[in-house]
């Protein structure tokens, strides 16, 4: 009569390390017979005498031969959390009692119950477990969205679908029954024109409909647009630009209390007139306060008074003459390149959304309504800002200005709502291909966007403004921004630098999960962070409708009959 083999005899812990345990399994078939699935990445339950258990994930295994030529398995597993006697899951730790009493595969119901420990009203779900797709993986929606999110993955890993699915799910979530939109507010910086198809009812803004007045720019943005930082005279140019804009704003608003960064209108054309006049100015040699204009002289008591006069138009000045007419302070050629750059920007039709005549007819309130989707005839949860048509030299400025406006909107909105005891309208900013405008590169042309987005990363949560950083090259993004992310959705990463960068930033020591980064299939991801009960390898749900980011099927297209091209139509759009 054969003896009954106990669980302890089938599997036992043979080694406990600070971040890993080793388990010896003498009969692998008997060990896994009650498991739904069993492989590297599966969960184990290591129990102790107090009816508590350590939940571990299998990292790898080895096969050894015993003295009687039988095979036994050595499983190495990483602890990810502790299940106490009340079945409450506590993340992290390795406080299993010694010696453990048993080791067995974690059951499906046990794993599902761990995930579903999140309070019902806070559950937000867009994926299932890779090891068993019947197990849904909810996360804490409040912790997910009120802290910054990073979505990373190589081209073709499914980033755009993931972002679209998350946003689609949150825009249909409702508390109770009511008609119309919920209170979600999301702005997507769409650099490749992908998301319009996924959100047909979105507030869609492209370069033709974008109205982003130049007079809302701050100093860094205006200088990045108008001053060539590499020039020797860049400091003097920036200084005179600030003085003239401040004075012009004071005139237009009728208040001397207006400062340089106050969001009130000014005229860039009048500022240009003044700079040209300063560059040609001549003075009476005997009375330096007297300006020698053609067939006339005009005396000014202060610079502000002179600026006010020069704003009107470009004047013609008397030529310099020995001992009678001298050159003015700026009439030395140092402003010529500045004037040339300024005129070039003002005449560039591609920049009409920033510098064109139409932006002078837009109010500050109009701009906020335009960006946030508050339209009387058609409100929208999602605003898509299609940046594909924005010239690259002003991409950073455009992203910076919108980001800064949204941060300051959140700040003043919260202050206003606190005093009136009304509900908040939290805002999520989605930065697609973030490495293009907030790189590690410290070049001056990225200063404005880096400062704006870093400020949101560091302070935005306090005012209901959070960021989702989406990138295929996380190692190229400013560390100040990425280090502020508390939740990570990491998809396949094939570049070793990106893999190592993400591993360093992840808040958990998870060998078996992070080692899978280069081998994840499309639509698979590792979710780690404050919002999820335990770090998990998941299969993301497909979004519907999908963004227009699918790869072109080259071979199938090439096999078709020759197709003609309407070059006139293409060149017309190109030139426009």
């Amino acid at each position: 009569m054969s003896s009954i083999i106990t669980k302890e005899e089938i599997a036992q812990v043979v080694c406990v390390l600070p971040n890993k345990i080793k388990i010896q399994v003498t009969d692998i078939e008997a060990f896994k017979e009650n498991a739904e699935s069993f492989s590297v990445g599966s969960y184990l339950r290591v129990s102790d005498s107090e009816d508590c258990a350590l939940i571990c994930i299998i990292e790898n295994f080895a096969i050894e031969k015993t003295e009687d030529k039988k095979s036994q398995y050595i499983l190495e597993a990483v602890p990810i959390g502790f299940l106490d006697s009340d079945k409450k899951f506590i993340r992290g730790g390795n406080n299993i009692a010694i010696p453990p009493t048993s080791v067995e595969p974690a059951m499906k119901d046990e794993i599902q119950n761990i995930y579903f420990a999140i309070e019902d009203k806070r559950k937000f779900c867009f994926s299932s477990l890779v090891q068993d797709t019947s197990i849904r993986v909810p996360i804490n929606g409040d912790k997910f969205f009120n802290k910054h999110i990073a979505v990373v993955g190589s081209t073709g890993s499914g980033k755009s679908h993931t972002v679209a699915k998350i946003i689609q799910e949150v825009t249909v979530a409702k508390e109770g029954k009511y008609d119309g939109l919920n209170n979600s507010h999301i702005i997507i910086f769409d650099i490749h024109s992908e998301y319009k198809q996924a959100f047909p009812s979105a507030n869609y803004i492209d370069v033709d409909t974008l109205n982003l007045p130049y007079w809302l720019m701050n100093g860094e943005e205006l200088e990045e647009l108008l001053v060539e930082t590499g020039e020797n005279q860049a400091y003097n140019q920036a200084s005179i630009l600030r003085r003239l804009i401040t004075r012009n704003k004071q005139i237009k608003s009728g208040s001397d209390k207006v400062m340089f960064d106050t969001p009130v209108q000014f005229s860039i054309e009048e500022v240009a007139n003044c700079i040209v006049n300063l560059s040609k100015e001549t003075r009476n040699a005997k009375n330096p306060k007297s300006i020698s204009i053609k067939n006339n002289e005009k005396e000014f008591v202060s610079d502000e008074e002179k600026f006010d006069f020069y704003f009107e138009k470009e004047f013609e000045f008397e030529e310099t003459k020995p001992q009678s007419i001298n050159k003015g302070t700026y009439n030395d050629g140092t402003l010529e390149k500045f004037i040339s750059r300024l005129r070039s920007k003002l005449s560039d039709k591609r920049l009409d959304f920033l510098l064109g005549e139409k932006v002078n007819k837009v109010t500050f309130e109009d701009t906020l309504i335009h960006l946030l989707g508050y339209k009387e005839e058609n409100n929208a949860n999602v605003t898509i800002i299609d940046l594909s048509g924005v010239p690259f030299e002003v991409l950073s400025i455009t992203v910076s200005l919108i980001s800064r406006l949204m941060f300051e909107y959140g700040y003043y909105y919260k202050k206003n709502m606190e005093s009136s005891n009304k509900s908040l309208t939290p805002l999520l900013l989605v930065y697609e291909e973030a490495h293009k405008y907030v790189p590690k590169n410290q070049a001056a042309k990225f200063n404005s966007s880096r400062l704006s987005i870093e400020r949101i990363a560091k302070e935005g949560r306090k005012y209901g403004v959070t960021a989702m950083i989406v990138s295929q090259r996380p190692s190229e993004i400013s560390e100040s921004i990425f280090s502020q992310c508390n939740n990570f959705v990491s998809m396949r990463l094939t570049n070793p630098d990106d893999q190592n960068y993400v591993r360093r930033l992840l808040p958990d020591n998870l060998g078996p999960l992070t080692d899978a980064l280069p081998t994840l299939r499309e639509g698979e991801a590792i979710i780690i962070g404050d919002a999820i009960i335990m770090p998990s390898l998941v299969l993301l749900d497909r979004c519907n409708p999908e963004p227009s980011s699918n790869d072109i099927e080259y071979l199938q297209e090439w096999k078709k009959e020759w197709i003609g091209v309407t070059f006139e139509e293409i060149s017309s759009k190109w030139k426009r």
Side-chain angles (χ1 to χ4, degrees):
M1 184 174 179
S2 60
S3 61
I4 298 174
I5 300 175
T6 64
K7 289 181 180 179
E8 290 79 1
E9 292 174 316
I10 293 174
Q12 60 181 330
V13 175
V14 294
C15 182
V16 177
L17 301 171
N19 61 347
K20 189 180 295 186
I21 62 173
K22 291 184 179 181
I23 301 149
Q24 177 182 286
V25 181
T26 56
D27 188 342
I28 196 69
E29 294 301 325
F31 181 71
K32 68 179 186 179
E33 66 178 355
N34 294 323
E36 300 280 343
S37 62
F38 192 76
S39 63
V40 171
S42 293
Y43 295 99
L44 297 178
R45 187 184 200 278
V46 182
S47 304
D48 66 12
S49 57
E50 298 177 357
D51 196 29
C52 299
L54 194 65
I55 301 297
C56 308
I57 186 170
I58 298 175
E59 180 178 26
N60 58 59
F61 67 90
I63 304 174
E64 296 180 351
K65 292 293 183 181
T66 61
E67 292 181 1
D68 56 358
K69 304 297 183 180
K70 290 184 178 180
S71 296
Q72 67 177 13
Y73 287 74
I74 302 296
L75 308 181
E76 291 192 352
V78 176
I80 56 174
F82 193 76
L83 203 61
D84 65 18
S85 56
D86 296 325
K87 305 303 178 185
K88 181 180 178 182
F89 182 78
I90 303 168
R91 186 165 160 183
N94 187 4
N95 52 347
I96 190 74
I98 299 175
T101 57
S102 67
V103 181
E104 56 191 328
M107 295 294 101
K108 175 180 176 179
D109 291 345
E110 195 167 40
I111 298 298
Q112 186 70 86
N113 289 339
I114 290 174
Y115 283 116
F116 273 74
I118 299 170
E119 191 178 354
D120 282 345
K121 69 177 183 178
R122 303 186 191 281
K123 283 179 186 172
F124 179 69
C125 192
F126 54 89
S127 67
S128 55
L129 204 61
V130 165
Q131 293 295 326
D132 186 347
T133 54
S134 65
I135 297 177
R136 299 294 288 164
V137 183
I139 61 176
N140 185 316
D142 287 329
K143 289 184 177 180
F144 189 66
F145 290 108
N146 72 11
K147 297 181 180 180
H148 306 303
I149 307 162
V151 180
V152 299
S154 300
T155 300
S157 61
K159 288 192 311 299
S160 300
H161 285 74
T162 300
V163 171
K165 181 61 181 178
I166 292 171
I167 296 172
Q168 286 172 356
E169 285 297 312
V170 81
T171 53
V172 298
K174 293 184 179 181
E175 182 180 23
K177 294 182 179 179
Y178 57 86
D179 295 327
L181 305 176
N182 65 12
N183 193 40
S184 57
H185 304 273
I186 298 153
I187 295 179
I188 304 174
F189 293 90
D190 186 3
I191 203 163
H192 293 309
S193 193
E194 295 178 304
Y195 290 95
K196 184 179 182 181
Q197 183 173 301
F199 301 96
S201 60
N203 173 34
Y204 179 74
I205 303 172
D206 62 9
V207 71
D208 294 325
T209 55
L210 180 61
N211 291 321
L212 206 56
Y214 61 84
W215 43 265
L216 288 175
M217 291 183 186
N218 64 11
E220 288 80 10
E221 292 153 359
L222 282 165
E223 288 171 19
E224 187 176 319
L225 178 67
L226 301 174
V227 177
E228 183 57 63
T229 54
E231 288 185 15
N232 293 332
Q233 295 296 321
Y235 177 80
N236 291 331
Q237 293 172 10
S239 177
I240 191 64
L241 184 67
R242 284 175 174 262
R243 290 186 64 192
L244 296 181
I245 288 176
T246 302
R247 183 56 189 162
N248 198 261
K249 284 185 174 184
Q250 291 172 348
I251 294 172
K252 298 296 183 184
S253 64
S255 171
D256 288 341
K257 295 181 179 180
V258 168
M259 304 303 291
F260 178 64
D261 284 332
T262 307
V264 297
Q265 290 198 27
F266 73 93
S267 171
I268 191 68
E269 289 82 6
E270 292 183 7
V271 170
N273 289 341
C274 191
I275 293 172
V276 172
N277 286 329
L278 288 171
S279 72
K280 299 189 298 184
E281 178 185 280
T282 55
R283 300 177 181 177
N284 187 314
K286 296 180 180 180
N287 182 11
K289 292 183 178 180
S290 181
I291 306 302
S292 299
I293 300 171
K294 198 77 170 180
N295 302 321
N296 192 11
E297 284 202 0
K298 193 167 181 69
E299 188 170 319
F300 299 105
V301 175
S302 65
D303 282 345
E304 284 71 21
E305 186 180 337
K306 180 172 65 176
F307 294 161
D308 297 353
F309 179 66
Y310 281 174
F311 284 143
E312 295 176 13
K313 63 179 182 179
E314 291 185 20
F315 291 98
E316 188 177 351
F317 292 84
E318 293 283 2
E319 293 183 6
T320 57
K321 297 176 183 178
Q323 299 182 350
S324 61
I325 299 177
N326 294 337
K327 288 184 177 182
T329 305
Y330 296 98
N331 189 352
D332 57 359
T334 57
L335 293 178
E336 292 306 314
K337 287 185 178 179
F338 184 29
I339 293 169
S340 176
R341 181 177 173 84
L342 183 56
R343 283 174 168 164
S344 174
K345 296 294 184 184
L346 291 176
S347 62
D348 191 340
K349 295 300 180 184
R350 300 176 306 157
L351 304 183
D352 276 356
F353 70 95
L354 278 174
L355 301 170
E357 291 183 10
K358 64 178 183 177
V359 299
N360 291 320
K361 302 174 184 177
V362 177
T363 66
F364 185 31
E365 293 78 10
D366 289 338
T367 304
L368 294 177
I369 291 169
H370 179 56
L371 294 174
L372 288 165
Y374 281 87
K375 299 179 178 179
E376 291 183 6
E377 70 282 2
N378 186 24
N379 290 329
N381 291 122
V382 178
T383 293
I384 298 171
I385 301 177
D386 188 342
L387 299 172
S388 60
V390 173
F392 184 74
E393 61 266 29
V394 295
L395 177 62
S396 172
I397 298 168
T398 303
V399 173
S400 171
L401 178 52
I402 297 173
S403 299
R404 184 173 53 78
L405 287 176
M406 293 302 99
F407 174 85
E408 293 179 1
Y409 161 80
Y411 172 81
Y412 287 106
Y413 182 90
K414 184 181 179 184
K415 292 295 183 185
N416 184 53
M417 291 303 102
E418 284 176 347
S419 62
S420 58
N421 198 29
K422 291 184 180 179
S423 297
L424 299 175
T425 57
L427 179 63
L428 174 67
L429 303 179
V430 180
Y431 294 98
E432 260 284 355
E433 302 289 2
H435 55 276
K436 290 185 178 291
Y437 35 84
V438 279
K440 279 184 180 178
N441 183 348
Q442 296 295 315
K445 65 180 179 180
F446 299 117
N447 280 347
S448 59
S449 58
R450 185 186 300 108
L451 289 172
S452 294
I453 300 175
E454 283 183 356
R455 188 181 183 195
I456 289 171
K458 294 173 183 176
E459 305 173 39
R461 289 178 48 225
K462 302 174 186 176
Y463 309 116
V465 182
T466 53
M468 178 184 287
I469 307 298
V470 186
S471 177
Q472 59 180 285
R473 292 306 313 273
S475 62
E476 294 183 2
I477 292 179
S478 165
E479 289 187 359
S480 296
I481 292 170
F482 237 139
S483 62
Q484 296 296 324
C485 293
N486 292 76
N487 295 290
F488 296 82
V489 181
S490 185
M491 311 188 80
R492 183 178 68 249
L493 287 169
T494 54
N495 186 290
D497 292 338
D498 294 328
Q499 294 168 17
N500 294 330
Y501 184 72
V502 170
R503 286 191 185 104
R504 290 201 312 270
L505 289 174
L506 292 180
D508 297 271
N509 181 20
L510 300 166
L513 287 179
T514 55
D515 288 345
L517 284 173
T519 59
L520 296 178
R521 294 176 295 177
E522 182 179 353
E524 291 182 352
I526 299 167
I527 302 181
I528 297 176
D530 296 344
I532 192 165
I533 291 290
M534 59 182 177
S536 304
L537 177 59
V538 302
L539 178 65
L540 299 151
D541 299 341
R542 296 293 294 183
C543 59
N544 184 28
E546 297 183 354
S548 57
S549 59
N550 293 325
D551 293 336
I552 296 172
E553 297 179 332
Y554 268 69
L555 182 59
Q556 307 312 312
E557 293 297 325
W558 281 350
K559 287 195 285 188
K560 293 178 182 178
E561 186 178 354
W562 181 274
I563 298 173
V565 176
T566 54
F567 287 99
E568 295 83 1
E569 184 178 337
I570 293 172
S571 63
S572 176
K573 290 182 179 179
W574 193 336
K575 289 184 283 188
R576 188 173 72 243

